[in-house]
Amino acid sequence: MTAAVLNFKSHLSDLFVQALCTVAPEQVVPVLLERPKQVQHGDYACNLAMQLAKPLKRSPRSIAQALIDALPASGVVEKVEIAGAGFINVFLTVAAKQSVVPGVLQAGEHYGHIQLGAGRRVQVEFVSANPTGPLHVGHGRGAAYGASLSNVLDAAGYKVSREYYVNDAGRQMDILALSTWLRYLDLHAIQVPFPPNAYQGDYVRDMARQIHVAHRARYVHTAAEVLQGVPAVEENADTHLDALIANAKKLLGEDYAYIHNHALTEQLGDGRHDLAEFGVHFDEWFSEQSLFDSGLVAQVVARLKEGGHLYEQDGAQWFRSTAFGDEKDRVVQRENGLYTYFASDIAYHLNKFGRGFDRMINVWGADHHGYIARVNGALTALGLDSGRLDIALVQFAVLYRGGQKAAMSTRSGEFVTLRELRNEVGNDATRLFYVLRKSDQHLDFDMDLAKSQSNENPVYYLQYAHARICSVLQQWEGDVAALRQADVGVLQSDYERTLLQHLIDYPQVIESAAEDLSPHLIAFYLKDLAADFHSYYNASRFLVEDEGLKFARLALIAAVAQVMRNGLALLGVSAPEKM
RNA sequence: GUGCCCGUAGCUCAACUGGAUAGAGCACCAGCCUUCUAAGCUGGGGGUUACAGGUUCGAUUCCUGUCGGGCACGCCA
């Protein structure tokens, strides 16, 4: 086994580059190799000749012939043909393709790991939901996507850091603290009308009860005090809420921080636990508040001001983001002196850039798309290369249950939580369904389908292929590790050739998924691989009399099982040995 | 109204970033279990890629327009 065996595409690509240098050294054309859809078009097709036709003013087919003549010899190439308008079709030798089987078995769980990232450090920031309540199904998609993407980048040779940005500063957290306190007062029969735009969920009452149990009546104040000077909710719900928050801070003094922190700790802990059960882990939980505590937010605003990127209007500080292609300028510091979320976000990104990542990927909900221009603008204004930052937008997921859209109202507290979804359909199905679509496509999540234990459910289709192989290997009762020594020369059938080619493609799929930030490609690949295995299974027997044939076939399906395991692991889906 | 994304089989989605005859699953029809898991397999019907132009050897893919859908347009986070 040589290094080239596991990397046919780049090997062939090198050959074509050499041929190109001979035929048309002055032409700068990228060499693209594709897997043709039709088997008669060979294993790889190259359209180089057609791209050169115009600049060289020659017919594509004559250029193709010249390229073929100039192509260096290679042990893995069976033959090269000109086809159609000028495609160059390359056929690999059977032996070369067969060698993937021992290659996979040798590499084991590392098969598919490539050096695309070359050890470069990449940070993936995802989920980053406000810790103001349970994660819902929208966060779930970001979590599944971010986690799978991180795994793919890891397999592609990047050194990945997974980060959750905790919005522990700002008004939303104050609203949660207030909501908790009001529910607590309710337990002490203090009647204060609960604001409609406060957090309604039952989890708020739970936290109130915890505080009540731990500290009894310590935080009780009269309704009159709480409502002192608070404008009517009918006038303006937001000012009503803010006045209540102000009163809470005033009445509770240092105790306000306790309630605030209790709510934060509870919700963050709950989210962390939820995500861990979902197989989603983070290396870093970055606190927004720490940016204020360290003074970085103030510093970054000062830096922008020094650079002449800020101006004052109506008492507020505006960042001139229109100078960087944004639609309008944005406020970084409000009239009341408070910094906006945008300001702390600039500070956060400055901090990120300072941590020395070669590349950063933010996974955001698609509703944040209008936010990209201003963040890039701010980074550019700070003299940072915004090209190191990628924003991956993830579209919404809509749940369907019994053919009906499931209700998704945050205000009423009537939303389906990620936990409920996981409990109802299981972690495996949830993880897979979330990445079964391109992330920039809307996702219709059919809960009935995800739950169904039937042939309609793609989760079982994948897992079943793996379990079937394990079952066969178990009944064989031989030494699986010895299969890597199998003589695979007898693997000649159409089914076997198809499977061999699929196994060869796997590293290429990792590369595409990493380059396009598209873990769904792994899911599609696994579906294809499973389909080809199931066909093979129905058409052939593995535990046959002929020892050589049996050994070769078992080696092949063991390799298929290995790739299924590797791929499912990237998606966070288990690969059961029995079903 | 302005900006971004999208429109592919009855339904849910692919199509290797401009390639060869646009592919899967579900649903529908007809078959395959005394032999390794039928949660599987085999075959069949189903398309003017929303519509109209344009660019070129070649367009689902790129450009323009129209129609239809989603999202965003706060001194919120």
Side-chain angles (χ1 to χ4, degrees):
Chain A
M1 189 182 73
T2 64
V5 168
L6 291 179
N7 211 344
F8 293 112
K9 196 167 171 178
S10 65
H11 172 67
L12 294 175
S13 183
D14 288 345
L15 299 183
F16 274 103
V17 168
Q18 289 182 49
L20 178 61
C21 286
T22 309
V23 174
E26 72 283 0
Q27 295 295 329
V28 185
V29 182
V31 175
L32 292 175
L33 286 166
E34 290 176 328
R35 294 284 333 281
K37 289 167 192 161
Q38 320 263 330
V39 281
Q40 63 266 32
H41 293 146
D43 297 305
Y44 293 93
C46 185
N47 65 356
L48 200 51
M50 287 180 288
Q51 291 185 59
L52 290 170
K54 199 161 196 180
L56 294 184
K57 294 193 172 70
R58 287 172 60 189
S59 81
R61 291 186 72 103
S62 77
I63 297 170
Q65 189 56 56
L67 285 168
I68 290 173
D69 292 341
L71 211 57
S74 167
V76 301
V77 176
E78 175 73 34
K79 61 174 174 175
V80 184
E81 288 179 354
I82 303 174
F87 288 99
I88 302 172
N89 293 335
V90 180
F91 296 75
L92 299 177
T93 64
V94 177
K97 292 203 237 178
Q98 288 164 339
S99 69
V100 74
V101 170
V104 170
L105 296 177
Q106 190 71 40
E109 65 182 23
H110 298 295
Y111 179 66
H113 285 204
I114 55 174
Q115 292 310 310
L116 179 69
R120 286 192 295 272
R121 294 177 61 209
V122 59
Q123 185 215 48
V124 182
E125 183 223 317
F126 59 112
V127 187
S128 301
N130 283 341
T132 52
L135 296 167
H136 57 67
V137 295
H139 302 129
R141 190 177 189 190
Y145 172 78
S148 297
L149 174 64
S150 298
N151 292 342
V152 167
L153 291 171
D154 190 70
Y158 285 95
K159 199 168 177 326
V160 182
S161 177
R162 298 153 172 89
E163 182 153 318
Y164 188 119
Y165 181 50
V166 182
N167 297 119
D168 51 0
R171 184 163 176 263
Q172 295 305 318
M173 274 310 301
D174 282 328
I175 296 173
L176 181 69
L178 173 73
S179 305
T180 307
W181 187 49
L182 292 178
R183 292 304 194 198
Y184 164 86
L185 292 175
D186 190 51
L187 292 173
H188 292 267
I190 307 295
Q191 302 295 333
V192 179
F194 199 79
N197 48 352
Y199 289 101
Q200 311 279 332
D202 288 338
Y203 62 93
V204 179
R205 291 183 192 275
D206 293 340
M207 291 192 294
R209 263 190 292 276
Q210 289 164 9
I211 293 171
H212 165 72
V213 168
H215 300 281
R216 312 313 299 181
R218 172 169 179 167
Y219 309 111
V220 172
H221 289 267
T222 66
E225 287 176 303
V226 176
L227 291 165
Q228 170 81 37
V230 173
V233 65
E234 292 79 15
E235 267 175 47
N236 185 321
D238 278 328
T239 53
H240 172 79
L241 201 59
D242 287 333
L244 283 173
I245 291 169
N247 279 357
K249 287 179 176 175
K250 193 173 66 191
L251 292 167
L252 290 166
E254 291 185 359
D255 282 343
Y256 179 81
Y258 166 77
I259 292 179
H260 184 282
N261 287 339
H262 179 85
L264 172 65
T265 308
E266 279 298 309
Q267 293 313 310
L268 203 53
D270 180 67
R272 188 193 297 237
H273 191 237
D274 197 8
L275 289 166
E277 284 182 346
F278 196 35
V280 178
H281 304 275
F282 291 91
D283 302 299
E284 190 78 37
W285 296 74
F286 192 95
S287 159
E288 179 190 7
Q289 184 62 46
S290 73
L291 296 167
F292 289 98
D293 296 344
S294 67
L296 192 65
V297 178
Q299 281 171 37
V300 85
V301 169
R303 237 175 99 175
L304 286 171
K305 196 168 186 71
E306 284 163 27
H309 301 293
L310 299 188
Y311 62 91
E312 191 176 326
Q313 186 180 309
D314 303 329
Q317 292 292 326
W318 294 72
F319 169 59
R320 204 183 306 278
S321 54
T322 46
F324 303 95
D326 199 4
E327 294 168 10
K328 53 169 290 192
D329 294 337
R330 313 287 174 175
V331 171
V332 290
Q333 189 172 18
R334 286 185 264 165
E335 189 182 7
N336 61 12
L338 293 178
Y339 295 107
T340 60
Y341 177 82
F342 180 41
S344 55
D345 222 19
I346 299 170
Y348 177 46
H349 283 88
L350 179 63
N351 174 283
K352 276 192 190 188
F353 272 74
R355 278 187 271 162
F357 297 111
D358 297 294
R359 193 176 172 195
M360 288 147 282
I361 299 170
N362 290 356
V363 178
W364 284 352
D367 55 332
H368 282 65
H369 69 77
Y371 204 73
I372 299 174
R374 76 189 75 164
V375 169
N376 281 337
L379 293 177
T380 307
L382 291 169
L384 300 170
D385 175 17
S386 64
R388 279 159 64 197
L389 176 70
D390 282 313
I391 313 284
L393 292 181
V394 177
Q395 288 286 350
F396 294 147
V398 180
L399 280 185
Y400 283 84
R401 195 188 233 149
Q404 296 289 315
K405 238 181 197 179
M408 274 282 295
S409 167
T410 324
R411 188 186 300 179
S412 64
E414 265 182 43
F415 48 82
V416 179
T417 65
L418 175 60
R419 186 175 276 118
E420 284 164 2
L421 179 65
R422 292 193 297 103
N423 289 341
E424 199 167 331
V425 309
N427 281 325
D428 284 340
T430 306
R431 283 292 296 260
L432 184 70
F433 269 64
Y434 271 134
V435 296
L436 222 42
R437 299 278 174 272
K438 279 199 299 203
S439 56
D440 60 1
Q441 292 280 355
H442 288 271
L443 170 67
D444 289 333
F445 197 120
D446 186 336
M447 291 180 74
D448 302 315
L449 178 58
K451 257 196 317 195
S452 71
Q453 305 221 342
S454 74
N455 57 343
E456 300 170 31
N457 194 330
V459 181
Y460 293 106
Y461 191 78
L462 301 185
Q463 295 181 326
Y464 187 48
H466 182 260
R468 267 183 151 177
I469 295 170
C470 291
S471 173
V472 172
L473 291 174
Q474 203 170 8
Q475 287 171 59
W476 169 55
E477 291 180 331
D479 178 13
V480 175
L483 289 174
R484 68 182 63 157
Q485 262 82 47
D487 177 2
V488 290
V490 292
L491 299 175
Q492 303 266 7
S493 75
D494 286 346
Y495 293 106
E496 288 156 351
R497 273 210 295 269
T498 305
L499 279 173
L500 290 171
Q501 188 62 59
H502 254 112
L503 295 176
I504 289 168
D505 287 340
Y506 183 64
Q508 200 61 51
V509 174
I510 302 269
E511 183 176 324
S512 299
E515 283 178 340
D516 298 346
L517 311 182
S518 298
H520 76 278
L521 292 174
I522 307 288
F524 282 101
Y525 168 82
L526 293 175
K527 274 165 76 174
D528 285 344
L529 182 64
D532 287 332
F533 167 73
H534 285 309
S535 293
Y536 183 40
Y537 182 95
N538 275 272
S540 326
R541 285 193 60 78
F542 310 119
L543 300 175
V544 291
E545 291 294 315
D546 184 330
E547 283 294 318
L549 189 60
K550 179 168 73 180
F551 227 57
R553 287 181 173 171
L554 289 175
L556 174 59
I557 65 171
V560 171
Q562 183 67 57
V563 172
M564 291 297 304
R565 265 198 299 282
N566 293 1
L568 287 171
L570 294 180
L571 303 181
V573 178
S574 69
E577 299 189 359
K578 250 186 221 164
M579 288 175 68

